[in-house]
Amino acid sequence: MSTLAATGLKLFDLHRGESLPASEVDDLAASGLVRVISVAEHGMIARYEALQDHIEELDVCRESLRRRFVWPWRRHHRRAHISRLSDRLMARSSERVALRGRLHRLGLASDTPRQYTRLDDGRFAKLTTDGLAIAFEFAYSTAFDAQITPDAAVEEAELCASLHGRMLLQWKVDYPPPVVATAAALLCRSGREIESAWDAFVELFEYWRGTYRDCPADRLALAALLVGAMRDDEDIRDTENRARETLDALVKVGFPRERETLWAASLLMREGRRPGSMERVYDVWCGLVRAGWSMAAATYLYAARLSLVPGKPAEITSRVREIVELLAVRVPVAEGRARLAAASILAHSDLHPPPDRSGARLLEHTSRYDPLADRLVAIHQRLPEPPYEAVSDCRPAIAAVLARLPGSTLLAFEAFDTTLAALRRAADRRIPDGGDLDPLTPGALLLCDRCWHGRGTNHLFAFEACAAGRNEAFDPVTIFRFTSTGGPAWG
């Protein structure tokens, strides 16, 4: 590996949150590619962010108290409470102003704690603008291809097809095939011993079949998702109860009690989000709706996934909207929902250097997401055309999942195609061929990230992966859909 490639790999791993030896980080810092700060400076940044959140909470509480109706004999107590809140708000604001001045003098005023990675010696480091540019150029080029093994997921594809066949024997269920393929792939990626995962999966789905009058095949994928969220010393029913607690928290902040909300709650619970953090999900969803997104129930899943992206809800909404505008002129598809799903998938990538606005390019309309959008188009052109009877063109979502993964576009598509071919060979006698819209596409999308050996992951996109293999002309009743059922998906 050349020196430039080795430097790019170190920067990419540091950006992903992996700790490097302090000596290597110091060498990168001496080259101006990494900024290293002390524990005290990182504590100042964290304290400033905590003060901002606390000030917003106090302000909301004070305004709510002012608007609240109280009986005349309680108004004195309300004025006293408002006065105490105002005093606390003034004290926190003064502390924030003083702290911001100190951070500004240190050049840390625009930094957040999430941008930094903790090193072995206790210090914290993040990539500078030049380091980010080098990491991006290395990650999405042929130089990264040496870190990818296109056939690394073939063995896991055989296991996925075997689980697919066991579901067919257990419940005589092979329809809709994309849901079954998604469930099998999620079980393979659950992180548990396969027989233990299968026993918990069977226990939960059998309980649902005996409890609910209507237990659609969509619950296969939901059960597999919950198996992946199980703790080491936990029963699968306890995991289901934790998902219900998260569902109750989502309902409490304003979401309706629907099955899409349950899916969103299960995803958030699997990612370690506590019920107390559900207001962020609602804020992201409201931001998308205000920006023009449809209020259909399928958008709850997108909002839940986007709430996992670092940053404020307004920043996330702005990022998605900017990517949608870029894709609108690059990806000509009749149905907009798949393009929106693609934009929300790309919004999870934060390895984007700022655009070059110097010299002659100062007045050009450039975006930091232009390279990734062009990468999506390159992969989109390699995907086969959907059959004429397909209701929606799901290629943008498939291309977005692959475009996020580092490496050249050719090798990213080769890894996906090799995994899909291995799945098709292993399941050829069990699953009917879906033609151009292959029902095993979800399994291939969820498994092919194994080819990146931990430097890329697709497990967050189970919903989009499932819809990418679905022909809605033959199976319209499902929560995994890209078509818009209530007017345009984006206004």
Side-chain angles (χ1 to χ4, degrees), residues 282-365:
Y282 190 73
D283 291 341
V284 171
W285 184 74
C286 289
L288 293 173
V289 171
R290 283 193 295 269
W293 198 302
S294 166
M295 295 181 66
T299 59
Y300 306 159
L301 307 173
Y302 298 148
R305 179 167 50 74
L306 287 170
S307 70
L308 303 174
V309 178
K312 295 183 178 180
E315 297 172 354
I316 298 171
T317 304
S318 176
R319 183 190 302 184
V320 175
R321 187 63 183 263
E322 184 177 353
I323 297 175
V324 167
E325 293 174 354
L326 292 175
L327 297 183
V329 296
R330 288 174 167 86
V331 185
V333 293
E335 174 55 48
R337 182 64 57 76
R339 191 161 52 207
L340 298 182
S344 69
I345 292 170
L346 292 185
H348 281 262
S349 297
D350 58 351
L351 185 62
H352 306 290
D356 182 12
R357 301 186 187 278
S358 60
R361 302 194 61 183
L362 184 62
L363 300 180
E364 288 185 13
H365 178 70

Side-chain angles (χ1 to χ4, degrees), residues 466-481:
C466 188
R470 175 64 59 81
N471 191 334
E472 296 175 12
F474 299 105
D475 185 31
V477 183
T478 175
I479 66 172
F480 304 98
R481 57 187 304 117

Side-chain angles (χ1 to χ4, degrees), residues 444-485:
L445 283 174
L446 294 176
L447 295 179
C448 72
D449 60 5
R450 185 56 61 90
C451 304
W452 277 258
H453 305 289
R455 289 190 168 94
T457 178
N458 290 338
H459 72 274
L460 280 176
F461 312 114
F463 312 131
E464 292 78 9
C466 188
R470 175 64 59 81
N471 191 334
E472 296 175 12
F474 299 105
D475 185 31
V477 183
T478 175
I479 66 172
F480 304 98
R481 57 187 304 117
F482 281 147
T483 54
S484 178
T485 57

Side-chain angles (χ1 to χ4, degrees), residues 82-102:
I82 291 175
S83 178
R84 288 192 296 270
L85 287 176
S86 298
D87 292 341
R88 292 172 60 190
L89 189 61
M90 182 64 69
R92 296 295 184 273
S93 298
S94 300
E95 184 182 356
R96 183 186 64 172
V97 171
L99 189 56
R100 181 170 178 81
R102 296 174 61 189

Side-chain angles (χ1 to χ4, degrees), residues 231 246 249 268-269 272-278:
R231 296 168 180 166
T246 310
L268 292 168
M269 186 266 297
R273 293 301 185 269
R274 297 184 180 277
S277 61
M278 296 303 108

Side-chain angles (χ1 to χ4, degrees), residues 55-383:
I55 287 172
E56 291 179 3
E57 293 176 3
L58 289 175
D59 190 45
V60 169
C61 184
R62 185 177 63 173
E63 292 302 317
S64 174
L65 195 60
R66 282 175 175 171
R67 297 191 181 98
R68 187 183 306 169
F69 172 79
V70 295
W71 295 105
W73 54 85
R74 298 287 300 176
R75 289 176 182 172
H76 173 73
H77 298 282
R78 180 175 67 174
R79 285 195 296 268
H81 194 181
I82 291 175
S83 178
R84 288 192 296 270
L85 287 176
S86 298
D87 292 341
R88 292 172 60 190
L89 189 61
M90 182 64 69
R92 296 295 184 273
S93 298
S94 300
E95 184 182 356
R96 183 186 64 172
V97 171
L99 189 56
R100 181 170 178 81
R102 296 174 61 189
L103 291 173
H104 186 75
R105 288 190 293 271
L106 294 171
L108 303 173
S110 60
D111 292 353
T112 61
R114 289 179 295 272
Q115 294 176 332
Y116 287 87
T117 300
R118 188 181 182 90
L119 304 179
D120 296 337
D121 58 359
R123 296 178 298 168
F124 294 85
K126 76 160 190 172
L127 271 61
T128 62
T129 302
D130 293 338
L132 202 61
I134 293 177
F136 180 86
E137 183 179 357
F138 166 76
Y140 295 107
S141 67
T142 55
F144 192 91
D145 289 352
Q147 314 299 323
I148 305 174
T149 309
D151 58 351
V154 170
E155 183 176 349
E156 203 165 25
E158 298 282 346
L159 177 61
C160 180
S162 174
L163 290 173
H164 201 144
R166 291 175 72 172
M167 293 180 198
L168 175 61
L169 294 175
Q170 183 81 20
W171 298 295
K172 301 295 187 290
V173 55
D174 61 347
Y175 188 86
V179 173
V180 186
T182 301
L186 287 173
L187 283 179
C188 289
R189 303 306 305 274
S190 65
R192 305 179 66 86
E193 194 271 327
I194 197 63
E195 290 302 325
S196 173
W198 173 258
D199 292 341
F201 173 73
V202 171
E203 177 185 349
L204 182 58
F205 194 68
E206 287 287 356
Y207 169 74
W208 284 346
R209 286 182 48 151
T211 303
Y212 304 111
R213 182 179 61 180
D214 181 20
C215 187
D218 288 342
R219 282 197 174 255
L220 282 172
L222 178 58
L225 190 73
L226 292 179
V227 169
M230 285 179 63
R231 296 168 180 166
D232 293 337
D233 56 346
E234 189 178 45
D235 185 73
I236 186 63
R237 296 295 309 283
D238 296 330
T239 307
E240 182 193 15
N241 291 334
R242 287 197 293 120
R244 291 183 181 276
E245 291 175 1
T246 310
L247 171 64
D248 294 338
L250 285 175
V251 173
K252 185 177 180 180
V253 299
F255 285 99
R257 192 179 294 274
E258 300 180 4
R259 56 179 177 173
E260 287 84 353
T261 315
L262 177 60
W263 266 93
S266 301
L267 175 67
L268 292 168
M269 186 266 297
R270 187 186 66 172
E271 296 303 315
R273 293 301 185 269
R274 297 184 180 277
S277 61
M278 296 303 108
E279 290 185 0
R280 174 179 172 83
V281 184
Y282 190 73
D283 291 341
V284 171
W285 184 74
C286 289
L288 293 173
V289 171
R290 283 193 295 269
W293 198 302
S294 166
M295 295 181 66
T299 59
Y300 306 159
L301 307 173
Y302 298 148
R305 179 167 50 74
L306 287 170
S307 70
L308 303 174
V309 178
K312 295 183 178 180
E315 297 172 354
I316 298 171
T317 304
S318 176
R319 183 190 302 184
V320 175
R321 187 63 183 263
E322 184 177 353
I323 297 175
V324 167
E325 293 174 354
L326 292 175
L327 297 183
V329 296
R330 288 174 167 86
V331 185
V333 293
E335 174 55 48
R337 182 64 57 76
R339 191 161 52 207
L340 298 182
S344 69
I345 292 170
L346 292 185
H348 281 262
S349 297
D350 58 351
L351 185 62
H352 306 290
D356 182 12
R357 301 186 187 278
S358 60
R361 302 194 61 183
L362 184 62
L363 300 180
E364 288 185 13
H365 178 70
T366 55
S367 167
R368 65 171 57 201
Y369 306 108
D370 276 325
L372 205 56
D374 294 337
R375 180 178 172 85
L376 181 146
V377 173
I379 297 178
H380 184 275
Q381 293 172 349
R382 293 181 175 275
L383 296 171

